[in-house]
Amino acid sequence: MSALFEFLLRMGDNTLVLGHRVSEWCGHAPILEEDIALANTALDLIGQTQMWLGLAAEVEGKGRTADDLAYRRDVIDFRNCLLTELPNRDFGHTLMRQFLFDAWHKLMLTRLCDSSDERVAAIAMKALKEVSYHLERSADTVIGLGDGTEESHAKMQSALNRLWPYVGEMFEADSVDDLNAQEGVTVNPSELRADYDRIVYDVMSDATLTIPDSRFAHRGGRDGSRHTEHLGHMLAVMQFLPRAYPDARW
Amino acid sequence: MSELEQVWARLREVPDPEIPVISLVDLGIIRDVEKRGGETWVVVSPTYSGCPATTVIENDIRKHLSKHGLEVQIERRIAPPWTTDWITDEGRAALKAYGIAPPSTAKGPAECPHCGGHDLERVSQFGSTPCKALWRCNDCKEPFDYFKCI
């Protein structure tokens, strides 16, 4: 498997898995405006997935399509960060997960706009516009709920405590990242951490939330070595139709 | 009229499927019409990457042009990314007349598309389609869609 293919899977699986998770809210959000906002966010992420996995399939050159990659791989083949596959739980938890991902996503896409691979840069430039908007919204919501009522504050603090151990994995680097960074295709994710910490610190301060004092990180998603048990359940739902009715068409 | 001019003219007749008051040309998503070998190509830049209208738009283009004896190939191009700066002045006027505040350079709409009021507030960052947000005018008390500026 080439390093470029692996990198594209990591980008596309992040947006696919999180996009699917967010879409699970469709019809269930606390108010109509939030329902629409979540559905639109999911739509952007799925659209970005088509570009990332489409390019991955092209780079692989084995005749697979973006749909084949999305629907015909199993858990161990997925390369998304663990953070994106965690269940939604409550609305505040969903938006906290979104913020922690959006902040990383925007920093990463900003750097990828200068990728030596112009196909990667083109996708990044397109996605960055949408993700900047996602970050604005998730940051606003985290601040609104964190600095809200006693109950919303407690829920947001609990969400941050629960999700924080899944942040570190987004900044880990392995030989795939080293190879791609040498080629100028991407950057070493660890370079993004200082900027990320500043953004998170500012938002959590405004949200009156306390960042846990630990750098412990669960890992195993972005190299596929150990996903959480949740991903398999998610894929069982997401992949049901194409697996039950192979080659079905609209 | 040359064949390419005919294609442009016909494209001006194809409405956006979700906001039918604006044509695809005025929306700024038709980036090029050109000959490649013997084939005519239309280059389309999607608005949002996940916009479900993208495929519908491509089908609408093929259907409308073919009805008038014009066969085209379509290229979907993402770079440079579509921007609301590409919406024409005619397109902006059509949006406003339809009740959608056109994209503005500021952080929100310039004025209420119904009454021209300036006391505006955002209700939601997202609206009925990926390209719009929901706002409200405190002068006439009416809600309205705002075409997001990207």
Side-chain angles (χ1 to χ4, degrees), chain A residues 178-191:
Chain A
D178 291 341
L179 270 170
N180 286 318
Q182 277 163 25
E183 301 284 326
V185 174
T186 179
V187 290
N188 190 314
S190 60
E191 289 176 29

Side-chain angles (χ1 to χ4, degrees), chain B residues 95-146:
Chain B
L95 287 174
K96 195 177 165 195
Y98 189 57
I100 299 174
S104 171
T105 45
K107 274 232 143 183
E111 58 180 25
C112 168
H114 304 306
C115 74
H118 292 98
D119 183 9
L120 312 172
E121 65 175 333
R122 191 175 69 190
V123 177
S124 175
Q125 266 162 308
F126 289 90
S128 54
T129 63
C131 55
K132 289 179 291 182
L134 195 59
W135 282 66
R136 172 166 49 212
C137 172
N138 290 322
D139 288 336
C140 69
K141 313 292 182 204
E142 289 291 330
F144 63 90
D145 272 330
Y146 168 57

Side-chain angles (χ1 to χ4, degrees), chain A residues 76-223:
Chain A
I76 52 163
D77 303 317
F78 272 75
R79 295 292 180 265
N80 57 289
C81 293
L82 298 176
L83 178 71
T84 60
E85 71 194 43
L86 299 175
N88 290 335
R89 301 176 71 88
D90 61 36
F91 178 74
H93 182 271
T94 297
L95 266 296
M96 180 62 81
R97 184 188 61 197
Q98 191 70 36
F99 168 71
L100 293 173
F101 180 76
D102 288 345
W104 173 86
H105 202 193
K106 185 179 176 184
L107 288 170
M108 182 52 117
L109 291 173
T110 303
R111 297 290 294 269
L112 291 180
C113 289
D114 298 322
S115 171
S116 60
D117 187 318
E118 62 182 27
R119 298 166 300 181
V120 170
I123 298 173
M125 280 187 274
K126 181 79 192 149
L128 180 59
K129 287 180 176 235
E130 296 160 1
V131 168
S132 301
Y133 205 75
H134 296 174
L135 177 61
E136 201 182 305
R137 172 172 175 276
S138 59
D140 278 358
T141 316
V142 164
I143 292 168
L145 291 174
D147 187 20
T149 65
E150 205 176 312
E151 183 182 353
S152 72
H153 175 87
K155 284 190 174 179
M156 293 312 275
Q157 185 62 58
S158 146
L160 179 58
N161 295 349
R162 183 178 279 272
L163 291 167
W164 191 247
Y166 294 93
V167 164
E169 189 192 11
M170 296 189 286
F171 302 95
E172 299 218 324
D174 59 13
S175 58
V176 171
D177 299 294
D178 291 341
L179 270 170
N180 286 318
Q182 277 163 25
E183 301 284 326
V185 174
T186 179
V187 290
N188 190 314
S190 60
E191 289 176 29
L192 309 174
R193 185 75 204 235
D195 286 339
Y196 182 86
D197 283 340
R198 262 192 298 277
I199 295 168
V200 172
Y201 178 82
D202 286 347
V203 168
M204 293 310 157
S205 300
D206 287 349
T208 68
L209 298 172
T210 308
I211 300 170
D213 185 23
S214 163
R215 284 272 173 136
F216 169 77
H218 289 291
R219 49 176 67 90
R222 69 196 300 275
D223 63 2

